[in-house]
């Protein structure tokens, strides 16, 4: 009888545990940018890399730890959205261009921990950008952090949105940066 009761409790307890997806699917929303920023002769190549020690974009630390990766590589997503925005501005993207734009994902993670009854969410996005042309370089760092506390455990969709907003904001800042525009135009 004890075995049956223990089995029922185990089944009921496991049925109440939160279910997590295996992957997220971050989608950046880039606002339309200025057109005519670059001449048709302005070209650049875009490369991307990932310096993160861990590829998980969402980590739940409360209870049994859960780590969720992104479906597609984050550096590719960011570089594709950046390339799309630069194309809208009139830049020609060409892998053999003299100007090289290097995007590196240094950190990207939403981490949820729990202290007593409060869920603490920390979201961090760190991206570096390096432009190179004939020995000249221009480097930029973009850091976004946000913290939230709530009684309820944040859902994966909420955390995805926070990450997407931070990355979208970073790409928007890159596209609007006059120093980057000037560097690319001085070919």
């Amino acid at each position: 009888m004890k075995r049956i009761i223990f089995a029922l409790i185990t089944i009921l307890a496991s049925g109440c545990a939160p279910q997590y997806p295996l992957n997220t699917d971050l989608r950046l929303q880039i606002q339309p940018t200025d057109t005519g920023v670059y001449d048709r002769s302005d070209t650049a190549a875009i490369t991307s890399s990932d310096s993160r020690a861990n590829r998980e974009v969402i980590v739940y630390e409360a209870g049994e730890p859960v780590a969720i990766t992104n479906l597609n590589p984050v550096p590719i997503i960011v570089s594709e959205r950046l390339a799309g925005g630069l194309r809208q501005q009139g830049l020609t993207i060409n892998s053999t261009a003299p100007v090289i734009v290097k995007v590196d994902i240094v950190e990207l993670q939403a981490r949820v921990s729990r202290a007593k009854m409060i869920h603490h969410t920390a979201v961090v996005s760190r991206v570096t950008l390096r432009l190179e042309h004939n020995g000249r370089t221009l480097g930029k760092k973009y850091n976004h952090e946000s913290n939230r506390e709530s009684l309820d455990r944040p859902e994966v969709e909420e955390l995805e949105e926070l990450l997407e907003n931070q990355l979208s904001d970073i790409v928007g800042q890159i596209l609007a940066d006059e120093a980057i525009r000037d560097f690319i135009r001085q070919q």
Side-chain angles (χ1 to χ4, degrees):
M1 184 68 169
K2 287 182 182 178
R3 288 183 183 166
I4 294 172
I5 292 174
F6 180 72
L8 287 174
I9 291 172
T10 303
I11 290 169
L12 290 175
S14 66
C16 297
Q19 299 296 314
Y20 299 99
L22 296 175
N23 301 99
T24 62
D25 190 14
L26 297 178
R27 299 175 185 271
L28 278 57
Q29 301 298 320
I30 308 304
Q31 299 300 320
T33 59
D34 303 331
T35 57
V37 172
Y38 300 102
D39 293 331
R40 292 177 52 185
S41 62
D42 294 330
T43 62
I46 299 177
T47 65
S48 60
S49 60
D50 197 339
S51 296
R52 296 177 296 156
N54 298 311
R55 301 295 189 248
E56 296 86 10
V57 293
I58 296 175
V59 176
Y60 286 97
E61 295 177 334
E64 185 69 28
V66 175
I68 304 170
T69 58
N70 198 55
L71 186 60
N72 297 305
V74 175
I76 292 173
I77 294 169
V78 173
S79 63
E80 285 177 352
R81 296 307 177 274
L82 179 59
L86 290 169
R87 278 189 196 99
Q88 282 182 328
Q89 293 177 338
L91 186 66
T92 301
I93 305 299
N94 183 338
S95 62
T96 61
V99 175
I100 300 169
V101 179
K102 297 180 177 182
V103 178
D104 184 33
I105 307 302
V106 178
E107 188 174 0
L108 179 68
Q109 194 168 84
R111 184 172 293 277
V112 179
S113 59
R114 185 173 174 187
K116 297 184 183 178
M117 297 301 291
I118 303 294
H119 288 85
H120 178 73
T121 303
V123 182
V124 179
S125 299
R126 296 190 200 295
V127 176
T128 61
L129 185 77
R130 182 176 171 92
L131 287 85
E132 299 175 355
H133 180 249
N134 288 338
R136 294 183 307 125
T137 62
L138 174 66
K140 296 279 186 164
K141 294 181 180 181
Y142 301 91
N143 301 314
H144 286 274
E145 295 183 31
S146 64
N147 293 291
R148 292 185 178 181
E149 291 185 345
S150 63
L151 293 174
D152 297 329
R153 178 185 54 83
E155 298 294 327
V156 171
E157 293 80 17
E158 295 172 59
L159 301 174
E160 280 178 333
E161 184 177 345
L162 292 170
L163 291 166
E164 289 169 346
N165 289 341
Q166 285 186 359
L167 285 176
S168 296
D169 186 52
I170 288 171
V171 172
Q173 287 178 35
I174 293 168
L175 292 171
D177 192 312
E178 285 298 325
I180 292 171
R181 291 175 176 183
D182 290 342
F183 188 94
I184 292 173
R185 287 188 290 236
Q186 294 177 3
Q187 297 188 35

